Amino acid sequence: MGWEDELFALFDDLEGQAGALYAAERDLEVADRSRAEYQQVTLAGRLMASVGRTVTLGVLGVGTVTGTLERVADGWLLAASGDHDWVVALPAVTTASDVSERSVPEIAWSPLTRLSLASALRRIAEAGEPCLLHLRDGSRHEGLLRRVGADFCELVAGEGRRTVLVSFAALAAAQSQSASRAG
């Protein structure tokens, strides 16, 4: 091998090392950017990408809810589970499994997703079907939703027809007592 061949081999080797260093640096930069971008992903965004899938949720005051995720909206979600629908307040969701690896940013959501928890509860009240309200502390109230205010709902409960006001801040989920759809 002549000196020219050795020189070209040296240049090829140096070029290979420079390419490997660049690739390693680029991989670190891509990983760093990926981590930085992922911090923008919300639980609601991951759940939105999971609409139509069967998911398992851990819900404060309720425990485990498994059902088909039908809707995700501003502060709540709708899951169908057997004969029951669950309107779950997103702040009460502690865990979610079997969800999509993808995420849908809120800017890409339909305008219908801007409907609040109050809107979902009004639909239940309009249906006139009995429901079970689960509170984050584990207590429950069964009856008919009568009216829905800005930050609470009014439930007529029991045979004594007593009225119970339930703060949205305390509400974990509303469970339908029939197979009708809440959303």
Side-chain angles (χ1 to χ4, degrees), residues 57-115:
L57 305 170
V59 181
L60 286 173
V62 177
T64 302
V65 172
T66 299
T68 303
L69 194 55
E70 294 195 348
R71 179 175 290 177
V72 177
D74 184 23
W76 63 278
L77 62 85
L78 174 64
S81 177
D83 290 340
H84 303 288
D85 285 342
W86 289 85
V87 174
V88 179
L90 273 175
V93 175
T94 58
T95 60
S97 57
D98 305 316
V99 298
S100 173
E101 288 290 321
R102 302 181 63 89
S103 175
V104 177
E106 288 187 34
I107 196 165
W109 292 12
S110 156
L112 292 176
T113 62
R114 297 195 193 351
L115 296 175

Side-chain angles (χ1 to χ4, degrees), residues 92-163:
V93 175
T94 58
T95 60
S97 57
D98 305 316
V99 298
S100 173
E101 288 290 321
R102 302 181 63 89
S103 175
V104 177
E106 288 187 34
I107 196 165
W109 292 12
S110 156
L112 292 176
T113 62
R114 297 195 193 351
L115 296 175
S116 67
L117 176 61
S119 295
L121 294 175
R122 282 187 193 97
R123 294 285 302 256
I124 294 172
E126 289 168 6
E129 298 289 332
C131 69
L132 183 59
L133 299 183
H134 296 264
L135 276 54
R136 294 181 196 189
D137 67 3
S139 63
R140 303 182 319 177
H141 299 277
E142 186 172 0
L144 294 173
L145 280 178
R146 184 167 50 183
R147 296 187 289 189
V148 179
D151 61 354
F152 73 98
C153 58
E154 190 175 294
L155 183 79
V156 177
E159 295 193 21
R161 311 273 309 150
R162 68 184 171 86
T163 299

